[in-house]
Amino acid sequence: MEHPNNVTEFVFMGLWGNKGIELLFFFLFLLCYLAVLMGNFVILLTITCSHLIEQPMYYFLCHLSLMDLCYTSTVVPRLIRDLAAARKTISYNSCMTQLFTAHLLAGVEIFILVSMALDRYVAIVKPLHYMVIMNRKKCNLLVAVAWGVGFWHSIALLLMVLRLPFCGPNQIDHYICDVKPLLKLVCKDIHIVSILVIANSGMVVVVIFLVLVASYIMILYNLRTRSSAGRRKALSTCSSHVMVVVLFFVPCIYTYVLPAGSENKDKEISVFYTVVAPMLNPLIYTLRNMEMKIAMQKVWSRMSHR
């Protein structure tokens, strides 16, 4: 017998039950969100207003910053608002919209990171053919593929959730509408759906992470033949990429590989890829990159002289 879907809104239980702690984190997350906006905006402005936009690595970094801006903006403003609110509610339609948008943007971000790894691999392993292989047409194609794969992943997840019956309770043990906390509220057996979610999200994230790790291992292997100066420069760039990949992927793997019914720290861990990683990415890419620092100084001095 099919259960009716009689839930019109959901109530977030949030990160903490303590009001004092929630008010403290309201200001903390507000500062984090402002840092995300400012840091990623600086990267976007620096790259688009300088010669760096012509280089594939910075072209992808520009897209990564844009994804970080959009992704955090689908999650963090509501989280900040809910930390100060007495009752944290979201309508069914808004919940499904947030689920789709967050997974779409996260999916695009994951494949932008893959494109960045491919770019570094070609630059280090096939330097003589770099400009031919990584031309602007190929870069645009990789970005289009990232959007295509992100859309496919999120629409598959959304259609799966839309078919599930929610007949109460409607309390989501999280601060965002994500697939796993929603599955706990479904009033039918979710065993098969849970396996499909792990296949769609968990296993995909694991496979991509292993591919990225393998690509960086191959890059390190090929660096043996380089001069010490060339090796240092390549290692500095790659270490920044590895840091970003680890910050984003490790919490994602923890969240999406475990089945929906298991008791774990999903909502606490998810703060890493919704708030912490997008905030640290600009710092990682600017503080460790001399080219970015020089371009930033030129752009700001040009703007200040206007």
Side-chain angles (χ1 to χ4, degrees):
M1 189 183 116
E2 197 63 36
H3 294 276
N5 190 357
N6 56 12
V7 169
T8 56
E9 67 170 20
F10 294 102
V11 179
F12 291 126
M13 287 167 74
L15 274 165
W16 301 275
N18 187 310
K19 201 69 207 161
I21 291 174
E22 288 201 331
L23 280 172
L24 173 70
F25 274 92
F26 167 83
F27 293 107
L28 182 65
F29 283 132
L30 183 62
L31 288 171
C32 288
Y33 184 53
L34 291 172
V36 169
L37 293 177
M38 196 173 77
N40 286 291
F41 179 71
V42 166
I43 283 187
L44 281 168
L45 194 70
T46 304
I47 294 171
T48 51
C49 296
S50 70
H51 68 286
L52 294 180
I53 192 69
E54 293 157 23
Q55 296 181 40
M57 183 175 94
Y58 295 103
Y59 176 73
F60 290 130
L61 178 56
C62 198
H63 281 279
L64 184 74
S65 286
L66 186 62
M67 287 308 103
D68 277 340
L69 272 174
C70 297
Y71 180 66
T72 47
S73 295
T74 64
V75 175
V76 183
R78 183 176 280 275
L79 166 62
I80 293 166
R81 191 203 73 181
D82 285 347
L83 284 168
R87 197 162 180 265
K88 316 170 203 310
T89 59
I90 185 169
S91 71
Y92 178 85
N93 290 341
S94 296
C95 182
M96 295 303 122
T97 305
Q98 190 185 54
L99 173 76
F100 173 78
T101 312
H103 276 269
L104 168 66
L105 297 168
V108 176
E109 182 157 340
I110 282 169
F111 281 91
I112 294 288
L113 288 169
V114 171
S115 302
M116 290 173 88
L118 175 67
D119 170 70
R120 289 301 83 206
Y121 176 81
V122 175
I124 290 160
V125 179
K126 297 179 184 290
L128 299 175
H129 304 105
Y130 177 67
M131 291 316 292
V132 177
I133 297 169
M134 297 304 292
N135 59 43
R136 184 45 57 93
K137 196 177 173 182
K138 296 251 179 71
C139 291
N140 287 336
L141 181 67
L142 285 168
V143 171
V145 167
W147 276 98
V149 174
F151 181 78
W152 171 82
H153 156 73
S154 52
I155 202 78
L157 215 55
L158 178 69
L159 292 173
M160 205 187 298
V161 175
L162 285 174
R163 293 176 63 191
L164 299 172
F166 297 96
C167 38
N170 65 340
Q171 284 194 316
I172 301 176
D173 187 17
H174 215 292
Y175 59 90
I176 52 170
C177 272
D178 204 0
V179 64
K180 275 181 69 182
L182 280 170
L183 285 183
K184 292 179 184 177
L185 307 180
V186 175
C187 46
K188 76 168 196 179
D189 182 47
I190 58 156
H191 185 68
I192 293 167
V193 180
S194 209
I195 291 166
L196 289 172
V197 167
I198 291 168
N200 182 306
S201 301
M203 296 326 293
V204 170
V205 172
V206 170
V207 168
I208 292 168
F209 181 67
L210 292 175
V211 167
L212 288 172
V213 168
S215 72
Y216 286 116
I217 288 169
M218 287 171 80
I219 286 168
L220 288 171
Y221 180 77
N222 278 277
L223 281 175
R224 295 170 308 130
T225 55
R226 294 294 168 89
S227 65
S228 59
R231 199 158 51 225
R232 234 184 347 262
K233 190 185 175 189
L235 277 171
S236 173
T237 308
C238 288
S239 62
S240 298
H241 287 235
V242 170
M243 267 194 265
V244 170
V245 164
V246 169
L247 264 173
F248 189 82
F249 276 86
V250 172
C252 275
I253 289 168
Y254 174 88
T255 304
Y256 293 106
V257 166
L258 298 170
S262 57
E263 288 302 316
N264 45 46
K265 300 279 183 189
D266 278 0
K267 61 181 177 181
E268 290 87 351
I269 295 291
S270 65
V271 171
F272 281 95
Y273 57 82
T274 55
V275 183
V276 179
M279 184 179 67
L280 293 180
N281 285 358
L283 292 172
I284 292 167
Y285 282 115
T286 52
L287 296 179
R288 298 175 58 85
N289 191 320
M290 192 52 72
E291 229 173 347
M292 272 292 288
K293 285 183 196 169
I294 294 164
M296 218 177 279
Q297 284 166 359
K298 283 180 182 174
V299 169
W300 290 119
S301 65
R302 204 158 60 223
M303 287 177 80
S304 61
H305 286 116
R306 276 181 185 173

